[in-house]
C-alpha cells in the first residue's frame, strides 16, 4: 500500500475523510500511556563487547524494525470525534532521525561510567518528537566498567509492553555461536498431574481436595481484589526513603543503576531454598531495601517493625509466540506487537533486619506461593479494561497512577535468551531494561541473559542521594544470602 504524505504538527489533526484502513485507532490501553502523569517509555540499556559500528546497526534496524507498522507510523491526535483519540498513521521513516550518536564531552575513562549514567538519566527528562515514530536508538561509543560500548533503545510504552518488545528486539539478533540461528527464549510449561490408578480408586478424596483448592483460590482472589481496590482508594504504604511526601512528579529526572550477578548462583539459591527464581529475586530485593534503610538511618527515623511496604509486581499475560515465529511474521509484514497485556499483583515486602539472610528468600517464597493461588493479575487486567471502557483512558490512567504511587516499589522480571547473542556483528555483554515516567519512587527490573542476571534500579532524582550505594546493597545482600546458602548446604551434608 502506498503511504500518503501528510503535513502534521507534533499533535496533528486527522482529516474526517481519512481511510480507516490507513489510520488504525490506538487501543485505550496504549492511549493511556500518553496521559501527563502516565507518559511512560521503555528503555533497553544494552552493553556491547566491541565498539559500535553505527552504519551496520542502522542497516540492521532498517531491514528488520521498519517492517513493523508500529515502528514506522506516527501517533496523531484525532479531534474529529471530540474524544481526543489517537491513530496510527503510516509514514516514511528516515533512519538517521532515530539512530543517535552523541558526542560526549569528556573522554576520561575514570568518568566514563558517570558520563553514560548521566546521559541515560537525561533521557528521562525528554520525549521523542511526536512528528516521527516514537522510538530512538542512542549509541554511546564509550568504554565503561560494564562494556566496551553502550546503546539505549528508547520506545514509547504505547507501542507495546516489555515482553512483546523484548521478543521483537531479539528478532534483530542472532546467536554468537551460529550467526544464522535466531535466539530462543526459555519456555516454561505448567504440567498438570494426571490421575493415577490410586487416585482413581479414591475419587471422592481427589475431588474433595480439588474443591478445597477451588475455595482457597476463590477466597484469595476476592481478598486480593478488595486490597487492590482499597489501595486505589485509600490504602497507602508506610513512609520510607523510597517515597516522597510530595507524591509522584512526572517531570522529575530519574537516575538508573544496574548490577549483574551470576544466574548459576541464583539457581543455586533456588535449589537450596526449594524456591523459584522469582522468589530469590524478591528475597534479594527485600534484603537490599532493608539493608539500605538500616545502614543509612539505623533505628532513628524509620521503624522497620510493622512497616507496611508492598511491591507492585507487573505480570505478563501475553502468550509467548517465540522469537522464531515473530521473525517469520515480520518477514511477512504481519503486525506482531499487540499493544499492552499485563496485570498487577501486590505483594507484601518483609522489610527489617534478619539474623539469617535466607529468611528473606523464605518469606518471599511464602508470599509468592500465596499469590499463585489467586487470579489477582487476571482480575486487575480485566478490571482495568472495564474501567477503560466505562470511564475512558484519562480516568484509567489516574487509577493506575494512584495504585502504583500508593505502593513502595514496582518490580518486573523479563526473561532473556540463555545463549550469547549478537546484532550486526556486535556481541552483547548485558541487557538492562527499565522505564522512565512510571508513577513510582523506585522501580526494579530484572532481566536474565546467558549466565547473568541484571538488576536495573530506577529512582526519582532526590529520593535516593546515594543510588550507587543502593546498587551495592543489592550485591552485598546477594553475597550474604549466597554465603548463608553455602553454610546451610555444608551443614546438611555433614548431617547426611
Amino acid at each position: 500500500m502506498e503511504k500518503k504524505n501528510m503535513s502534521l504538527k507534533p499533535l496533528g489533526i486527522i482529516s474526517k475523510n481519512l481511510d480507516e484502513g490507513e489510520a488504525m485507532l490506538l487501543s485505550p490501553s496504549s492511549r493511556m500511556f500518553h496521559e501527563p502523569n502516565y507518559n511512560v517509555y521503555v528503555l533497553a540499556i544494552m552493553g556491547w563487547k566491541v565498539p559500535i559500528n553505527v552504519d551496520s546497526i542502522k542497516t540492521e534496524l532498517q531491514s528488520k524494525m521498519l517492517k513493523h507498522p508500529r515502528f514506522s507510523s506516527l501517533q496523531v491526535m484525532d479531534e474529529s470525534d471530540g474524544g481526543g483519540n489517537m491513530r496510527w498513521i503510516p509514514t516514511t521513516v528516515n533512519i538517521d532521525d532515530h539512530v543517535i550518536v552523541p558526542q560526549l564531552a569528556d573522554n576520561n575513562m575514570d568518568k566514563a561510567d558517570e558520563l553514560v549514567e548521566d546521559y541515560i538519566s537525561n533521557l528521562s527528562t525528554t520525549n521523542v518528537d511526536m512528528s516521527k515514530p516514537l522510538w530512538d536508538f542512542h549509541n554511546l561509543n564509550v568504554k565503561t566498567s560494564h562494556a566496551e560500548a553502550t546503546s539505549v533503545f528508547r520506545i514509547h510504552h504505547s507501542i507495546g509492553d516489555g515482553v512483546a518488545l523484548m521478543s521483537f528486539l531479539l528478532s534483530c539478533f542472532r546467536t554468537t555461536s551460529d550467526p544464522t540461528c535466531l535466539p530462543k527464549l526459555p519456555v516454561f510449561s505448567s504440567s498438570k498431574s494426571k490421575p493415577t490408578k490410586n487416585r482413581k480408586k479414591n475419587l471422592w478424596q481427589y475431588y474433595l481436595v480439588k474443591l478445597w483448592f477451588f475455595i482457597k483460590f476463590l477466597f484469595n482472589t476476592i481478598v486480593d481484589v478488595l486490597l487492590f481496590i482499597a489501595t486505589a482508594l485509600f490504602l497507602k504504604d508506610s513512609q520510607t526513603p523510597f517515597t516522597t511526601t510530595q507524591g509522584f512528579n512526572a517531570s522529575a529526572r530519574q537516575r538508573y543503576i544496574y548490577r549483574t550477578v551470576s544466574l548459576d548462583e541464583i539457581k543455586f539459591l533456588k535449589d537450596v531454598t526449594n524456591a523459584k527464581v522469582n522468589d530469590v529475586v524478591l528475597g534479594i530485593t527485600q534484603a537490599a531495601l532493608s539493608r539500605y534503610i538500616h545502614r543509612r538511618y539505623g533505628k532513628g527515623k524509620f521503624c522497620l517493625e510493622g512497616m507496611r511496604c508492598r511491591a507492585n509486581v507487573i505480570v505478563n499475560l501475553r502468550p509467548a509466540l517465540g522469537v522464531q515465529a515473530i521473525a517469520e511474521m515480520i518477514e511477512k509484514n504481519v503486525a506482531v506487537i499487540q499493544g499492552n497485556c499485563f496485570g498487577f499483583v501486590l505483594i507484601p515486602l518483609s522489610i527489617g533486619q534478619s539474623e539469617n539472610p535466607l529468611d528473606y528468600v523464605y518469606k518471599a517464597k511464602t508470599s509468592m506461593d500465596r499469590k499463585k493461588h489467586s487470579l489477582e493479575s487476571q482480575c486487575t487486567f480485566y478490571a482495568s479494561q472495564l474501567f477503560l471502557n466505562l470511564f475512558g483512558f484519562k480516568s484509567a490512567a489516574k487509577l493506575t497512577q494512584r495504585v502504583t504511587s500508593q505502593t513502595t516499589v514496582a518490580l518486573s522480571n523479563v526473561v532473556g535468551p540463555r545463549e550469547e547473542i549478537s546484532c550486526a556483528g556486535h556481541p552483547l555483554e548485558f541487557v538492562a531494561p527499565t522505564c522512565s515516567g512510571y508513577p513510582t519512587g523506585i522501580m526494579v527490573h530484572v532481566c536474565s541473559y546467558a549466565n547473568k542476571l541484571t538488576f536495573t534500579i530506577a529512582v526519582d532524582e532526590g529520593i535516593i542521594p546515594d543510588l550507587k550505594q543502593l546498587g551495592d546493597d543489592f550485591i552485598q545482600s546477594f553475597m550474604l544470602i549466597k554465603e548463608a546458602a553455602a553454610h546451610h548446604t555444608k551443614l546438611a551434608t555433614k548431617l547426611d
Side-chain angles (χ1 to χ4, degrees), residues 170 174-178 181-186 323 416-422 428 448-451:
L170 289 178
R174 296 295 183 270
T175 61
T176 304
S177 58
D178 184 359
C181 183
L182 283 165
K184 296 179 181 179
L185 290 174
V323 180
R418 290 176 177 172
E419 65 271 31
E420 294 189 355
I421 59 176
S422 60
L428 188 67
S448 60
Y449 165 59
N451 62 340

Side-chain angles (χ1 to χ4, degrees), residues 77 81-82 92 120 147 168 177 184 213 237 307-308 312 335 420 434 442 493:
M77 189 71 74
D81 60 357
T92 301
I120 299 173
F168 177 72
S177 58
K184 296 179 181 179
F213 274 108
D237 282 4
M307 179 181 289
R308 179 171 61 243
N312 170 29
E420 294 189 355
T434 186
I442 177 170
T493 303

Side-chain angles (χ1 to χ4, degrees), residues 157-178:
H157 216 311
S158 60
I159 293 179
D161 55 35
V163 173
L165 293 174
M166 170 65 81
S167 300
F168 177 72
L169 179 62
L170 289 178
S171 67
C172 300
F173 283 78
R174 296 295 183 270
T175 61
T176 304
S177 58
D178 184 359

Side-chain angles (χ1 to χ4, degrees), residues 25-32 70 86 88 158 338-340:
L25 190 68
L26 264 73
S27 66
S29 58
S30 292
R31 177 62 182 86
M32 186 175 65
R70 293 205 174 193
M86 299 180 74
W88 299 98
S158 60
Q338 302 299 327
N340 294 272

Side-chain angles (χ1 to χ4, degrees), residues 239-420:
Q239 185 71 22
T240 71
F242 311 112
T243 57
T244 58
T245 55
Q246 295 81 10
F248 172 72
N249 182 7
S251 61
R253 187 171 185 254
Q254 291 182 290
R255 300 202 66 86
Y256 306 93
I257 197 77
Y258 36 91
R259 295 288 186 267
T260 300
V261 298
S262 168
L263 183 58
D264 290 336
E265 292 178 342
I266 291 288
K267 291 178 179 178
F268 165 70
L269 297 179
K270 173 182 76 73
D271 294 337
V272 170
T273 56
N274 193 27
K276 303 293 184 183
V277 170
N278 285 339
D279 303 338
V280 177
V281 167
L282 181 60
I284 294 173
T285 302
Q286 291 182 147
L289 299 183
S290 301
R291 181 181 178 85
Y292 178 85
I293 295 177
H294 186 268
R295 175 183 49 77
R296 184 169 178 81
Y297 299 98
K299 298 182 179 179
K301 187 174 181 180
F302 296 98
C303 178
L304 299 182
E305 299 300 328
M307 179 181 289
R308 179 171 61 243
C309 294
R310 291 171 296 168
N312 170 29
V313 180
I314 303 167
V315 180
N316 171 60
L317 300 176
R318 186 191 309 277
L321 291 176
V323 180
Q324 179 71 40
I326 290 177
E328 292 176 356
M329 295 171 77
I330 292 173
E331 291 299 325
K332 297 176 182 178
N333 293 323
V334 178
V336 294
I337 297 178
Q338 302 299 327
N340 294 272
C341 186
F342 57 86
F344 298 106
V345 172
L346 303 181
I347 297 181
L349 295 175
S350 177
I351 303 297
Q353 290 297 104
S354 179
E355 294 183 2
N356 182 8
L358 284 177
D359 288 342
Y360 291 110
V361 179
Y362 289 131
K363 291 177 181 178
K365 182 181 183 304
T366 300
S367 298
M368 295 290 277
D369 286 346
R370 156 68 174 74
K371 292 295 181 177
K372 290 173 186 175
H373 293 89
S374 171
L375 292 175
E376 181 180 4
S377 60
Q378 292 89 337
C379 288
T380 55
F381 171 75
Y382 289 114
S384 65
Q385 296 302 305
L386 178 62
F387 201 87
L388 274 168
N389 294 329
L390 292 177
F391 302 104
F393 51 81
K394 291 182 181 294
S395 298
K398 290 180 181 179
L399 174 69
T400 307
Q401 187 268 344
R402 183 169 178 82
V403 170
T404 53
S405 62
Q406 297 275 66
T407 54
T408 301
V409 57
L411 186 63
S412 176
N413 185 7
V414 178
V415 179
R418 290 176 177 172
E419 65 271 31
E420 294 189 355

